[in-house]
Amino acid sequence: MFRGSVILIALTLGMPSLAAAQTMSFGDSIGKLATSCGAEIVANCRGVNPDSNRLKECLSRNRDVLSPQCASDYLGVFDAIQKRVAARVTVANACQREIVKVCGGSTKETSKSVPCLVSTPKGISNNCLKAVDDAGYR
């Protein structure tokens, strides 16, 4: 049980928890996975590197021994993680103008402009604000 807890803690630390927007936060996703599949991860995925792809593959390989709760939740959790990752990539595209003109930043380093995008709603388009919300930055 201890080793599984270490894996889940490592996953949680590797993916920062941010306020939930229209996508599920990394922290909420990992919390749901720990609640639904913690015992299965300990029993069947010991030694698996704690990244979402390898853990998903391990749970998929062991689907026949998963609890009903874990079996019904784990694919949704990993889907939510992928949606959050995709939403963060979208910020660079949706906010190009704002990053350069309003925040004086570079689209090559979008993460440096996120505080500006969050704290300066004036001059930020609705499309950009939605992308920032979906990415969980505000």
Side-chain angles (χ1 to χ4, degrees):
M1 184 69 171
F2 176 74
R3 188 174 182 132
S5 298
V6 171
I7 289 172
L8 292 175
I9 290 170
L11 278 170
T12 303
L13 293 176
M15 298 177 202
S17 174
L18 298 168
Q22 291 185 4
T23 58
M24 186 185 295
S25 74
F26 291 127
D28 290 344
S29 298
I30 296 305
K32 186 172 184 176
L33 185 65
T35 301
S36 297
C37 300
E40 288 85 349
I41 291 169
V42 171
N44 302 301
C45 300
R46 189 169 300 167
V48 172
N49 281 341
D51 74 43
S52 62
N53 289 332
R54 290 189 176 130
L55 196 54
K56 180 181 177 183
E57 289 171 9
C58 177
L59 290 171
S60 293
R61 278 192 315 269
N62 292 289
R63 189 170 176 91
D64 56 330
V65 295
L66 299 181
S67 69
Q69 186 67 44
C70 179
S72 71
D73 288 348
Y74 85 97
L75 289 175
V77 168
F78 290 113
D79 184 50
I81 290 169
Q82 290 306 314
K83 284 181 181 176
R84 180 54 66 100
V85 169
R88 290 189 172 195
V89 171
T90 301
V91 170
N93 295 327
C95 300
Q96 282 181 344
R97 183 190 66 79
E98 291 86 346
I99 289 169
V100 174
K101 296 203 180 230
V102 177
C103 298
S106 165
T107 55
K108 292 181 181 178
E109 297 179 318
T110 302
S111 62
K112 291 183 178 181
S113 297
V114 168
C116 172
L117 294 172
V118 170
S119 65
T120 314
K122 189 174 186 178
I124 308 293
S125 70
N126 287 336
N127 191 32
C128 177
L129 289 174
K130 182 179 180 336
V132 169
D133 286 343
D134 287 348
Y137 290 129
R138 62 175 205 152

